[in-house]
Amino acid sequence: MMALWRRSLAAQIITFMLLALAVSQGIGFCVSWDERGQAMRAAAKGEFFSRAASLALSLNATPDAVHDDILAVSGTIYSRFWLSDREPVDATAWAKDAWMRLHQPLPPGKVPVHPKPSGGPPVAAVPEIPTGAAFASEPARWVEIAPQSWLLARPAKFQYLNTAIGMGLAVQLDRGMWLNAAYAKNYHNAFWTSQSTLSLGITALVLSVIAIWVARSIARPMRRLATAAELLGRGEAVPPLPESGPDDIRQTAEAFNRMQARLQRFVEDRTRMLAAIGHDLRTPLTSLRLRAEFVSDPEIQDKMLKTIAEIQTMTESALAFAREQATAETTRTVDLSALVESLCDDLVDIGQNVAFLDGPKISYRCRPDALRRAVRNLVENAVRYGERARVTLARTAESIDIVIEDDGPGIPENVGDQVFAPFFRLEHSRNRETGGVGLGLSIARAIARHHGGDIRLFNQAKGLRAVIGLPLVTGRTARARA
């Protein structure tokens, strides 16, 4: 799960949007839940007043003999009505009596006014009778209801009972009796309902689809940029990125295109400059060679000619090194095992002690001529300084390694990175037969780095181990170049 979070922009956007949705919906539910509860209490209070007033009018208009029957049939699961001959003064005593009456069963044969609907939700039971501690913590008190606040033209006495929706009322009738009314119902204002769950699910689904679309629209140009940067780092020609989309993405593409153009101009300018230097050096070197021919002392003449030849060789090698860094060879997919094996066979044919050890068949996208030259430089170094070379290919989790081992003395630990510097030689003479000009490893590493890899050197118990590590070409990069 954490790997998906780190790798997927869509997963992060979806998570943040759903988190924002949950917070906003939670706040909205809390507000609406409280408003819904207040609305339910207000509706219950209005209905209770209306029923009590209607019952009082009915009792005033009927004989006393039928009052008990009227009161009996008027009771419901949640309400009770009764008459008393005196005004209720003690609110707490009246509330306790009201609770006892609410828990008494309805008279036999009397159908409640509000029976349970067929197929509907179960009817909630009347709340439990509050304990004495509840009455002590919330003492009951009467509040007078003015005539203009309800349906009758006379005031009434009202109090809230100890429950979410519970209330009592007492009003005097025309004949002096007092009508008492009590109502109590469990308040089930559920936070989560099927409607809210369905609404939240649909909203989350819509937001997820929008988040995926947004993430892809953002990630698509970023993937193009990452692929182009990877190809540019491997020395391949990359077409300019499309400069479109939002300002941030468009400006990023423009910056990348400008950077690529500047790099190409820099490499081209340096190559032209070095080519001009090489061309201009040929004239004075030719003049020096001609003048050396007129030197009468053969020994001095031979030294001068060797020095001139060495200068010319170093100049040509430097130009070749610069051209290799600015190479425009086409990148293509080759059988890397076959390429390395054919190189080893060619070196064996000219009498060098080289052995290629069979390995896995590996297809790789590269500049084959340049890579062949890099491997050849390392193999020839191994033969020159280590008597023989053993070449193998290996695939690791992160790279493809071309390994060259020899049986030589290795290199000192303190010059591990200096050996890659141009013109650096462990053998300090200028004899080309023993040490060359010191550009072989520099050229080889430049080629490896142009492919996005590098060269590493390791001393072994006997000999040196050189590894050309080439990065694995991802499927995304390969598809981008296909």
Side-chain angles (χ1 to χ4, degrees):
M1 193 66 180
M2 290 301 298
L4 179 63
W5 167 263
R6 289 192 297 266
R7 295 180 57 186
S8 175
L9 179 62
Q12 296 184 20
I13 293 179
I14 291 173
T15 300
F16 285 124
M17 292 185 72
L18 292 183
L19 181 60
L21 172 65
V23 173
S24 62
Q25 290 290 332
I27 295 174
F29 282 155
C30 290
V31 173
S32 62
W33 182 59
D34 183 64
E35 291 178 350
R36 180 170 178 264
Q38 293 179 8
M40 290 181 64
R41 285 189 288 270
K45 184 176 181 181
E47 182 183 1
F48 177 64
F49 281 6
S50 176
R51 289 180 55 79
S54 299
L55 184 57
L57 292 175
S58 299
L59 294 175
N60 286 330
T62 57
D64 294 345
V66 298
H67 284 179
D68 290 340
D69 292 335
I70 293 175
L71 293 173
V73 299
S74 297
T76 68
I77 297 177
Y78 310 112
S79 60
R80 295 292 188 274
F81 302 94
W82 69 97
L83 293 175
S84 61
D85 53 0
R86 291 191 301 272
E87 175 185 2
V89 178
D90 189 343
T92 300
W94 187 95
K96 291 180 180 180
D97 180 55
W99 277 113
M100 297 299 297
R101 292 177 180 273
L102 283 169
H103 281 81
Q104 291 176 358
L106 292 172
K110 303 298 182 180
V111 180
V113 174
H114 296 293
K116 174 183 175 180
S118 176
V123 177
V126 176
E128 295 294 331
I129 300 176
T131 62
F135 285 109
S137 61
E138 299 181 17
R141 62 187 183 89
W142 289 113
V143 177
E144 183 175 306
I145 303 175
Q148 60 270 21
S149 300
W150 74 316
L151 300 179
L152 295 183
R154 64 181 62 185
K157 304 175 70 171
F158 175 82
Q159 67 167 290
Y160 283 105
L161 302 179
N162 304 67
T163 184
I165 297 182
M167 59 200 78
L169 182 144
V171 60
Q172 189 175 23
L173 300 179
D174 292 343
R175 299 182 180 88
M177 299 291 289
W178 283 81
L179 172 63
N180 302 275
Y183 176 88
K185 182 178 180 180
N186 273 326
Y187 174 45
H188 295 289
N189 188 16
F191 189 84
W192 290 106
T193 63
S194 58
Q195 291 83 358
S196 61
T197 303
L198 179 62
S199 173
L200 183 61
I202 294 175
T203 306
L205 179 61
V206 172
L207 285 180
S208 299
V209 173
I210 295 175
I212 293 174
W213 180 80
V214 171
R216 287 185 175 179
S217 64
I218 295 174
R220 190 178 300 110
M222 299 304 295
R223 284 196 298 267
R224 284 200 300 263
L225 177 62
T227 301
E230 174 67 19
L231 295 175
L232 182 63
R234 289 169 53 84
E236 299 192 33
V238 182
L241 294 177
E243 299 175 358
S244 60
D247 287 346
D248 294 339
I249 296 176
R250 178 176 52 79
Q251 291 170 5
T252 302
E254 292 174 353
F256 178 85
N257 291 336
R258 288 195 299 268
M259 177 194 69
Q260 181 178 212
R262 289 168 183 165
L263 288 174
Q264 291 174 348
R265 285 198 301 269
F266 170 76
V267 173
E268 291 171 359
D269 291 344
R270 190 185 66 168
T271 303
R272 282 195 297 267
M273 180 189 67
L274 290 174
I277 292 173
H279 180 271
D280 293 342
L281 282 175
R282 288 192 179 96
T283 299
L285 286 174
T286 303
S287 298
L288 287 174
R289 186 182 295 277
L290 290 174
R291 291 176 183 176
E293 296 292 340
F294 294 100
V295 176
S296 58
D297 190 333
E299 184 177 354
I300 295 177
Q301 184 187 53
D302 182 62
K303 290 181 179 179
M304 291 179 65
L305 292 174
K306 287 183 177 179
T307 301
I308 293 171
E310 182 178 357
I311 294 173
Q312 186 171 2
T313 300
M314 293 177 65
T315 302
E316 296 295 336
S317 298
L319 290 174
F321 177 60
R323 284 194 300 269
E324 185 59 53
Q325 288 188 310
T327 183
E329 181 186 354
T330 302
T331 303
R332 55 192 176 90
T333 302
V334 299
D335 185 345
L336 194 58
S337 303
L339 184 146
V340 176
E341 185 177 8
S342 65
L343 170 64
C344 294
D345 293 341
D346 292 343
L347 294 176
V348 171
D349 291 340
I350 61 176
Q352 298 204 27
N353 190 356
V354 179
F356 177 76
L357 306 180
D358 289 334
K361 181 178 179 179
I362 301 174
S363 296
Y364 193 73
R365 186 176 179 83
C366 64
R367 294 183 294 279
D369 292 340
L371 191 58
R372 182 183 177 93
R373 182 178 182 186
V375 177
R376 183 186 184 104
N377 287 353
L378 291 176
V379 172
E380 288 179 342
N381 276 354
V383 174
R384 180 182 296 117
Y385 300 110
E387 301 179 359
R388 62 182 56 84
R390 296 179 296 276
V391 185
T392 58
L393 263 72
R395 183 194 296 270
T396 67
E398 299 179 352
S399 65
I400 295 174
D401 294 341
I402 304 174
V403 183
I404 300 98
E405 297 178 323
D406 61 45
D407 295 334
I411 60 173
E413 297 291 341
N414 59 342
V415 295
D417 196 56
Q418 296 180 35
V419 294
F420 293 105
F423 304 110
F424 179 85
R425 290 170 45 183
L426 290 175
E427 197 275 320
H428 295 286
S429 73
R430 290 298 178 184
N431 187 348
R432 291 169 55 196
E433 299 298 326
T434 59
V437 295
L439 282 175
L441 286 178
S442 299
I443 293 174
R445 186 169 72 168
I447 294 171
R449 287 184 172 179
H450 280 176
H451 283 82
D454 207 347
I455 296 179
R456 304 183 303 276
L457 302 178
F458 306 94
N459 284 319
Q460 302 185 113
K462 182 180 180 182
L464 183 70
R465 186 171 187 260
V467 179
I468 302 177
L470 301 173
L472 292 175
V473 179
T474 62
R476 180 180 301 168
T477 304
R479 290 192 300 269
R481 298 296 301 160

